[in-house]
Amino acid sequence: MKPVSLSLRAFGSYAGDLCIDFARLGRHGIFAITGPTGAGKSTIFDALVYALYDDLPGFRVNGNVRSQFADPATETSVSLDFFMHGQRWRIERRPTQLVARQRGSGAPVEKKASVVLGRVGADGTVVAGSALARARDVAHRVEELVGLTKEQFEQVVLIPQGRFEEVLKAETSKRAPLLRRLFPVEMFTRVTDSLRQIAAARQAAFEDATRQLGALAERLREAYAAAVEQVPDELRGEHADEADGFAVDELAWRLEELRHAAGALDALVDAASTAWSAATGARDAGRLATERWREWRDHVAQAASFADEEAADVHERAVLERARRLLDLRAALAEWSDSISRLAGLEPERARLLARLEGTGLEGTALDAADRSALRGAATASQLAGRLHADAEHHRREAERFDELAQRARVLDERRAGTSARGVALAGRRETLAAEDVALGLVAEEADRLAPVAAGLGALELACDALDAELATARRRVEATADVASLSEQLRRADAAVDEARDAAMRMRVAWRDGLAGRLARLLVDGEPCPTCGALEHPAPAVAREEPGAEEADDDALAAAERKCDDAVASRSAVEQALAAAQGVLRGLPPARALDVVAAELHARRAELESARAAAERLDAVATEVERRRGDLARDRRELDEAERALEIDVAALGTELAGLEREQAAFADAHGGLVSPAPRAEAYFGLARDVERLAEVLGEREAAEASKRGCEAVLGPIAAELGASDTSELGDWVLDPAEVEARERALAARHERREEVRRKIAAYLAEVDGEPVLPDLDALEAAAQEADRAYTALVERRGVLAEKLAVLVAGPEMLAVAGTTLDAARRALEQAKTIADQCAGLGGGAGLRLSLENWVLADYLRQVLVQANHRLDAMTEGRFALQLSDGVTDGRKPWGLDLSVFDVNTGQVRPATTLSGGETFMAALSLALGLADVVSGGMGRQIGALFVDEGFGALDPQSLEGVVDVLRSLEDGGRIVGVISHVDEVKHALPTGITVASSPSGSVATLHYPPE
């Protein structure tokens, strides 16, 4: 961060405005702010810190920034322009303050605090869309841009008055928090915490393994007791009832007793199974006999109704024979029946039509002039209908002429009404055009309302960008959490692999050791000294063991087993390191809210952004609409004038057409005796003609039906007499469908076959039982079978439970061995994790091991700082002093590793930094502060383009002051702006004066001295 300009108003001790152009002052590279003590020199740096961080430097007691000298009408504000990453930014703050009322009198009103941060364009104004106005967003963005918190900024950019010696003379316990604020050691702190958590987890695993071993022993005792319960009393062994005194070392002989009891129980189960099979067979035979007896009884009941059924079947055969005789006469019967139905259906309509025609009284019609006897025949009635149609057509044409005149009258009336309506509409259009002027004003007001919403578009875009970054961080945290879970599972498998490899190596070492004597014996030769004892005689050499695997336990096999164990341990260490790294990555990620919370807020902000964009688009549309509607208003007024002239022409033409219509209506009234439509008379003629036509059709259909009826009766009459029917209609009741005849004949044959089948089954059952049928006692058979089943099931259940518990007890020794191995592995893992965690936390056994991991890392950063600081201190003290880290532990009860000492070339001795004089302390502390700034800005990747030193020069002699000033001048080589606050005259003469501050009754007064262009 490199300041460009600072503007303050009514701030601190300054009652009015003060504007400082750091870019112009920077031409000196280094400048001084001079003035007497209390004049207001430090207030300038207070304003700079306040602008960035909304707070005064930490060493200020009073946090009220408003000037007590300011006029009530003057508002307090601070504005800072600075360069960061090649861009110019501006931040302006106004604190909460009381301001005078703009209208009327009375007590001042409170105005809330405000802040704006945005990029500055080439024209010197904030770029639209880049401004942030929410305090939280601004604070977050400032820390992103500057790369320093307020505490870090005060440590490396602003070296405040009275704080030079804090880092130099502090003990490790106080220096560590200061350095922790500057350097990224959070990851190592989290690693230490993770190791403590791992140790706690392994402690819990060890305790769990201990509990599991005890639970396994209890489980085996319970299994033995449950197994004994399943053994019948007569089969139990001598010690079976001593379950309470069961011990795991007695498992072998107790298992032998249970196996013997299980064999005896198997014999009981086999006997019960045989008894159950016999009882079940007897029950099944009784069920079959009962079913056969019930079937015989049902057949006897059916045979009792066979006589009535056979008599009914005789009548059924006679009916089917008669139906087969009438099958060929179905067509004649259907035609005769259809003729009867048609005659009956036509008669009512004929009578109705004749009655209607007899009552007709139209004078002058063809019906009135004709002989009404023509209505009795189909041909004469058809001729009469033709004459009636001709008369109806004449009256229809006259009715159409009347309708045409009426239509013209309606059209002219509508035109007359239309012209009146057009006049009214044109008057309304004039009122509408007047209202359009008002509407244009409303649209303009809408544009004014939309403008502020559209102006906030840039701030919303920046807020969405910030939330996008936070969402990405939240996603990375989720991914890192998944990596930690996966590596934790890998570590569990690696622990198991290490335990297995260690057990295998241990077994191999035992086998190798047991076979060592035998292998050495093979090397003995009589007369040659023994390689172990040196004897020349070997009366009883050892013999190689014959156990399985003894020959394989040679040196190569042992080495291979130990290599496998080492590889498993190395693999586990790699997984542990990867897990620690993954946990470090997880803790090294910046804090972020939950993924769904950030996503929801981003969604809401994007919705606001879309609303702002919509408002901007609507603003453009409203402006376009105003221009369009203004053009439409002018065009509508021209069209209105033309429409009014056209209305006058239409009114004159309408009068001429109305006069012609009146003449034609008078001529029609003379011809018809009045202006009345002939349409009713024409409709009456058409109706009369339709009735006569329909009567002719009915008479024709009646004559055809009569002829068909007579022909059918000539054929069916003799057949009816032959079959004994009273008349022809009775033959129709006897006709059946051929499919029905076939179905009824099949049913007749089926009933006959069923009766014969029942009779055969009755005879067969009686022959089978050879006497009177008897119903078996099925309940007794069922009870015997159930009792046998219960006895067999109970013994099978006992055997099953006994087998289950025996399986548990048989597996007991192996499970006890596994549980013991697990407990040993958990103990070793706990010891290892606790040792590492204590070492990283600085809790090791010896004094040299009580350095924590965090302080060890901070010491490395501090060494880098001392390298840079000693360059400056060497120049200031002409090579006399050099700062260094203290090697020894002065007090084992306190944290150590960050204590500073001073090497004095003149004495060749190292002494504590607290022994330096006032001037020496100032130079050492200033060098250390400059070293901190160098490392933070360089090694930490932060751009620090300014350094401000507040007081402390009064303790220097002239020679030392010259060395310090030379060092400060060298800082401008890196392009940094260096400002020095001092009231010392030598500093005023040694450095170019940039700002002179003086006190006055109305507050501080600053005079700026810019270098020439």
Side-chain angles (χ1 to χ4, degrees):
M1 190 281 295
K2 187 173 185 177
V4 177
S5 63
L6 175 68
S7 299
L8 54 95
R9 171 181 295 174
F11 184 91
S13 58
Y14 292 88
D17 292 339
L18 174 61
C19 298
I20 302 173
D21 189 342
F22 287 111
R24 293 178 62 187
L25 287 176
R27 293 194 183 95
H28 284 310
I30 183 171
F31 63 90
I33 303 177
T34 60
T37 301
K41 302 185 295 298
S42 298
T43 303
I44 295 174
F45 294 156
D46 291 351
L48 191 147
V49 175
Y50 174 77
L52 289 172
Y53 298 103
D54 191 23
D55 196 7
L56 295 176
F59 52 88
R60 299 290 186 236
V61 176
N62 185 5
N64 184 17
V65 300
R66 179 166 175 79
S67 175
Q68 59 179 332
F69 304 104
D71 184 90
T74 303
E75 291 188 24
T76 299
S77 65
V78 177
S79 176
L80 173 67
D81 282 21
F82 60 93
F83 271 113
M84 199 69 203
H85 303 302
Q87 293 182 326
R88 182 170 178 173
W89 294 80
R90 177 175 298 158
I91 183 169
E92 182 176 352
R93 291 189 186 272
R94 297 176 185 270
T96 300
Q97 53 193 297
L98 296 176
V99 297
R101 295 180 180 270
Q102 295 182 354
R103 297 180 180 178
S105 59
V109 296
E110 183 180 76
K111 188 172 184 180
K112 297 297 183 182
S114 64
V115 60
V116 176
L117 170 67
R119 294 194 307 273
V120 179
D123 59 353
T125 61
V126 175
V127 176
S130 70
L132 298 174
R134 291 180 56 183
R136 184 176 63 182
D137 297 338
V138 171
H140 181 67
R141 188 62 173 144
V142 165
E143 285 202 12
E144 283 185 346
L145 289 172
V146 179
L148 299 171
T149 64
K150 174 176 174 287
E151 292 77 8
Q152 292 171 336
F153 185 86
E154 294 176 12
Q155 198 68 49
V156 300
V157 177
L158 174 62
I159 302 179
Q161 182 176 349
R163 297 281 294 275
F164 274 39
E165 301 180 13
E166 182 175 349
V167 177
L168 177 66
K169 295 184 177 181
E171 297 179 346
T172 293
S173 59
K174 295 182 179 180
R175 182 177 289 110
L178 296 175
L179 297 177
R180 197 180 298 122
R181 292 197 298 263
L182 296 174
F183 300 110
V185 295
E186 297 87 354
M187 179 180 70
F188 302 98
T189 304
R190 288 194 291 269
V191 166
T192 302
D193 293 339
S194 298
L195 290 171
R196 287 174 176 169
Q197 293 173 7
I198 291 172
R202 292 189 178 181
Q203 177 68 38
F206 172 72
E207 295 172 356
D208 184 61
T210 303
R211 287 192 298 270
Q212 287 182 3
L213 183 59
L216 177 57
E218 182 61 27
R219 180 184 172 193
L220 292 175
R221 282 191 290 271
E222 292 174 355
Y224 178 74
V228 169
E229 287 294 326
Q230 303 306 316
V231 179
D233 294 340
E234 64 272 16
L235 301 180
R236 293 188 181 183
E238 178 183 355
H239 303 284
D241 294 331
E242 300 177 2
D244 292 340
F246 174 84
V248 293
D249 55 356
E250 302 173 352
L251 188 57
W253 63 265
R254 288 185 182 267
L255 271 175
E256 188 62 31
E257 282 188 351
L258 288 176
R259 288 193 179 99
H260 179 73
L265 183 59
D266 288 341
L268 292 178
V269 170
D270 293 341
S273 175
T274 302
W276 172 77
S277 298
T280 302
R283 180 199 59 192
D284 294 341
R287 287 176 178 174
L288 180 60
T290 301
E291 184 179 354
R292 293 277 291 146
W293 182 86
R294 289 172 179 167
E295 184 180 0
W296 165 77
R297 188 178 59 182
D298 292 341
H299 288 159
V300 170
Q302 293 176 22
S305 63
F306 283 174
D308 295 337
E309 187 178 296
E310 288 172 342
D313 284 352
V314 171
H315 178 266
E316 178 73 1
R317 288 191 185 91
V319 171
L320 294 177
E321 286 296 332
R322 184 178 62 194
R324 283 195 175 276
R325 178 73 185 279
L326 294 175
L327 285 178
D328 296 336
L329 298 175
R330 284 187 304 159
L333 284 169
E335 184 178 351
W336 178 82
S337 178
D338 183 60
S339 299
I340 296 298
S341 299
R342 282 189 291 154
L343 288 172
L346 292 171
E347 186 58 29
E349 187 175 6
R350 184 181 74 85
R352 179 178 57 80
L353 290 171
L354 285 174
R356 184 189 297 176
L357 292 173
E358 288 294 337
T360 302
L362 290 177
E363 297 180 359
T365 63
L367 179 60
D368 186 54
D371 185 357
R372 290 186 181 268
S373 61
L375 299 176
R376 295 177 185 153
T380 55
S382 179
Q383 294 174 359
L384 179 60
R387 294 196 298 272
L388 289 171
H389 267 296
D391 293 340
E393 283 294 329
H394 170 72
H395 287 291
R396 182 185 61 76
R397 288 191 294 270
E398 287 300 307
E400 289 176 352
R401 180 184 173 197
F402 176 82
D403 291 341
E404 189 272 334
L405 292 175
Q407 176 63 22
R408 287 173 59 192
R410 285 193 297 273
V411 170
L412 291 176
D413 287 343
E414 290 174 357
R415 288 176 59 187
R416 181 163 48 196
T419 54
S420 299
R422 285 166 64 189
V424 173
L426 292 176
R429 286 182 64 185
R430 287 214 173 269
E431 294 178 358
T432 300
L433 294 178
E436 179 67 11
D437 287 332
V438 178
L440 284 175
L442 296 176
V443 174
E445 291 178 0
E446 181 182 3
D448 294 339
R449 291 194 302 272
L450 291 173
V453 179
L457 182 61
L460 287 172
E461 288 176 344
L462 287 178
C464 287
D465 292 342
L467 285 172
D468 278 329
E470 186 177 359
L471 185 62
T473 299
R475 288 198 179 101
R476 290 197 299 273
R477 290 188 69 86
V478 171
E479 294 170 357
T481 302
D483 291 342
V484 169
S486 175
L487 288 169
S488 297
E489 176 60 22
Q490 293 180 31
L491 181 58
R492 185 190 65 76
R493 293 196 296 268
D495 285 338
V498 168
D499 293 339
E500 181 180 354
R502 282 176 174 170
D503 291 342
M506 178 61 70
R507 290 193 298 271
M508 183 61 69
R509 280 194 291 270
V510 171
W512 179 87
R513 186 173 58 251
D514 291 343
L516 181 59
R519 289 195 299 275
L520 289 175
R522 296 193 191 101
L523 303 177
L524 296 178
V525 178
D526 289 335
E528 294 182 6
C530 173
T532 301
C533 64
L536 298 177
E537 296 180 359
H538 318 296
V543 179
R545 299 180 61 182
E546 299 298 332
E547 286 84 353
E551 294 296 329
E552 299 175 1
D554 56 9
D555 293 346
D556 294 338
L558 177 60
E562 290 180 343
R563 282 197 303 274
K564 185 175 181 180
C565 181
D566 293 340
D567 292 342
V569 172
S571 298
R572 183 180 64 182
S573 299
V575 174
E576 289 176 338
Q577 293 174 4
L579 176 59
Q583 291 171 334
V585 169
L586 178 60
R587 289 180 172 82
L589 289 173
R593 293 171 292 172
L595 185 61
D596 54 347
V597 173
V598 179
E601 184 175 349
L602 178 58
H603 178 75
R605 284 303 184 89
R606 283 178 174 166
E608 295 177 9
L609 179 61
E610 290 302 322
S611 298
R613 287 173 176 166
E617 294 175 358
R618 175 61 182 162
L619 183 61
D620 295 338
V622 166
T624 304
E625 183 180 358
V626 168
E627 295 300 322
R628 178 186 61 76
R629 291 177 69 174
R630 283 175 180 164
D632 292 345
L633 182 62
R635 184 192 67 243
D636 290 346
R637 282 175 174 157
R638 292 194 299 270
E639 292 176 352
L640 180 61
D641 293 340
E642 295 174 358
E644 288 175 342
R645 289 193 294 271
L647 178 61
E648 294 175 357
I649 296 172
D650 290 344
V651 169
L654 179 61
T656 303
E657 294 183 23
L658 284 172
L661 175 62
E662 291 173 356
R663 290 192 296 272
E664 292 186 27
Q665 288 176 337
F668 184 88
D670 292 341
H672 293 279
L675 193 61
V676 180
S677 173
R681 192 172 184 83
E683 183 61 30
Y685 270 82
F686 277 117
L688 185 60
R690 286 193 296 271
D691 288 343
V692 174
E693 285 178 342
R694 179 56 187 159
L695 179 61
E697 293 174 358
V698 169
L699 291 173
E701 292 177 4
R702 188 170 179 274
E703 292 170 359
E706 286 285 354
S708 176
K709 176 175 175 279
R710 289 191 297 271
C712 291
E713 287 177 345
V715 174
L716 297 173
I719 301 300
E722 179 183 349
L723 295 178
S726 59
D727 55 23
T728 305
S729 62
E730 191 173 358
L731 294 177
D733 298 335
W734 295 346
V735 174
L736 297 176
D737 185 75
E740 183 182 356
V741 172
E742 292 292 336
R744 291 170 70 170
E745 287 181 343
R746 287 194 300 273
L748 189 65
R751 287 194 295 274
H752 175 74
E753 179 62 29
R754 179 176 56 79
R755 291 192 295 271
E756 292 301 317
E757 178 66 21
V758 169
R759 291 187 179 105
R760 284 194 299 271
K761 288 182 177 180
I762 292 173
Y765 180 74
L766 292 175
E768 179 182 338
V769 299
D770 191 19
E772 185 66 25
V774 179
L775 180 64
D777 188 359
L778 189 58
D779 291 339
L781 295 173
E782 287 283 358
Q786 291 177 2
E787 178 61 29
D789 181 67
R790 280 194 296 270
Y792 172 68
T793 302
L795 288 173
V796 169
E797 289 177 352
R798 281 176 176 267
R799 184 175 64 178
V801 174
L802 178 58
E804 176 187 354
K805 300 306 177 183
L806 275 174
V808 173
L809 293 171
V810 169
E814 182 178 355
M815 291 190 293
L816 287 170
V818 171
T821 302
T822 302
L823 180 61
D824 292 340
R827 182 184 294 106
R828 292 194 299 271
L830 171 61
E831 292 172 353
Q832 180 187 43
K834 192 172 185 306
T835 299
I836 297 175
D838 288 347
Q839 288 177 351
C840 290
L843 302 175
L849 298 178
R850 299 182 66 85
L851 176 63
S852 68
L853 176 62
E854 180 188 78
N855 283 356
W856 182 81
V857 175
L858 286 175
D860 184 69
Y861 280 115
L862 187 55
R863 289 187 184 93
Q864 300 177 40
V865 171
L866 294 180
V867 170
Q868 301 299 325
N870 284 329
H871 289 315
R872 300 323 181 351
L873 185 59
D874 184 78
M876 292 181 188
T877 63
E878 295 182 350
R880 178 181 176 183
F881 295 115
L883 298 172
Q884 64 183 38
L885 281 175
S886 300
D887 294 331
V889 180
T890 58
D891 187 347
R893 295 169 298 175
K894 297 180 180 179
W896 68 282
L898 301 178
D899 296 328
L900 293 181
S901 301
V902 178
F903 177 74
D904 189 340
V905 174
N906 292 347
T907 64
Q909 300 294 321
V910 175
R911 53 192 173 102
T914 55
T915 62
L916 294 174
S917 66
E920 293 169 347
T921 297
F922 171 77
M923 290 186 290
L926 178 60
S927 299
L928 188 60
L930 296 177
L932 281 172
D934 290 340
V935 174
V936 170
S937 62
M940 305 307 296
R942 294 163 180 160
Q943 299 180 8
I944 300 177
L947 178 68
F948 301 103
V949 182
D950 190 355
E951 286 297 353
F953 298 91
L956 300 178
D957 57 57
Q959 183 178 0
S960 298
L961 177 61
E962 182 179 354
V964 170
V965 171
D966 289 340
V967 169
L968 292 176
R969 285 198 183 99
S970 68
L971 298 178
E972 63 185 278
D973 295 340
R976 275 189 288 189
I977 298 174
V978 180
V980 176
I981 296 179
S982 181
H983 64 280
V984 178
D985 291 337
E986 288 80 358
V987 175
K988 297 179 185 178
H989 299 307
L991 297 178
T993 300
I995 305 174
T996 302
V997 182
S999 300
S1000 74
S1002 58
S1004 299
V1005 178
T1007 304
L1008 301 174
H1009 307 281
Y1010 293 115
E1013 297 292 337

